[in-house]
Amino acid sequence: TTGAFSNTLGYYEIDEDGNILDAGIAFANANEGEGEMVISDVESGNMLGFFIVQDGGDTFGVFAEDDSFIFVNSDGAAGNVSDASDLSLTVNGENVDAHIFHSYDASLNADGVEHVASGANADGSATFGFEDLTGGGDNDFNDVVFQVSLNISF
C-alpha cells in the first residue's frame, strides 16, 4: 500500500436485486492492515463488493466492533447499486463526509471514474488495487492493494 492517505478498506454484499447489505470494515487504516481478514457468512448468490474511504483512517480513527455500517441513498433508504453515485455511507446512523470509491462499478463513485484494477492469480485468488485520488489521480492503482481467496464450504 503506497497511498497518500490513510484509507479505510471495507466490503459489502450485493444481493440479486442490487441491494447493498452487510457492510463492514476490513481495515480502519489500510496502511497498517496486514495479515488475514475473514469475511464469513456471505449469502449464497450474493456478490462481494469492496470500497475505500479516502483518508478514513485519519478522519475517523478506530471503529468499534459493534459499529453499524450502512449504505443509503439521498432519501435515506437502503442503498442499491441502481442508486449509482447517490450512495452515502453511514456509521451508526451518521453520514460519512468523505470520498468513497467502490470496486463494483464506476457509476457508484461520485466522480464516475473507475478506481479499481483487479486480476486473477494462478492460485485462484484475485488481487485488487485501488486508486485513492478523485478523477483517477495518477491511475497507479497501488494505493490500497489486497488479495482475496475463496474458502467455500459445503
Side-chain angles (χ1 to χ4, degrees), residues 63-64 66-70 89-96:
F63 295 107
D66 61 347
D67 283 342
S68 168
F69 303 94
I70 300 173
L89 176 64
T90 63
V91 179
N92 302 325
E94 298 293 321
N95 192 40
V96 171

Side-chain angles (χ1 to χ4, degrees), residues 48-154:
L48 272 179
F50 300 96
F51 65 92
I52 62 169
V53 179
Q54 184 188 65
D55 214 24
D58 280 342
T59 305
F60 306 107
V62 177
F63 295 107
E65 194 167 310
D66 61 347
D67 283 342
S68 168
F69 303 94
I70 300 173
F71 280 93
V72 298
N73 63 25
S74 60
D75 294 328
N80 186 289
V81 295
S82 66
D83 293 322
S85 64
D86 187 36
L87 286 173
S88 297
L89 176 64
T90 63
V91 179
N92 302 325
E94 298 293 321
N95 192 40
V96 171
D97 184 24
H99 294 292
I100 298 173
F101 303 121
H102 299 264
S103 68
Y104 181 76
D105 192 85
S107 69
L108 301 180
N109 300 328
D111 61 4
V113 173
E114 187 67 57
H115 282 267
V116 176
S118 63
N121 301 315
D123 65 359
S125 65
T127 298
F128 293 80
F130 271 89
E131 172 55 53
D132 66 357
L133 298 173
T134 56
D138 55 11
N139 285 305
D140 60 9
F141 299 97
N142 69 353
D143 302 313
V144 174
V145 178
F146 60 98
Q147 189 172 338
V148 175
S149 301
L150 297 178
N151 185 5
I152 300 173
S153 354
F154 296 97

Side-chain angles (χ1 to χ4, degrees), residues 18-30:
N19 297 309
I20 299 174
L21 312 165
D22 300 329
I25 299 300
F27 296 103
N29 181 345

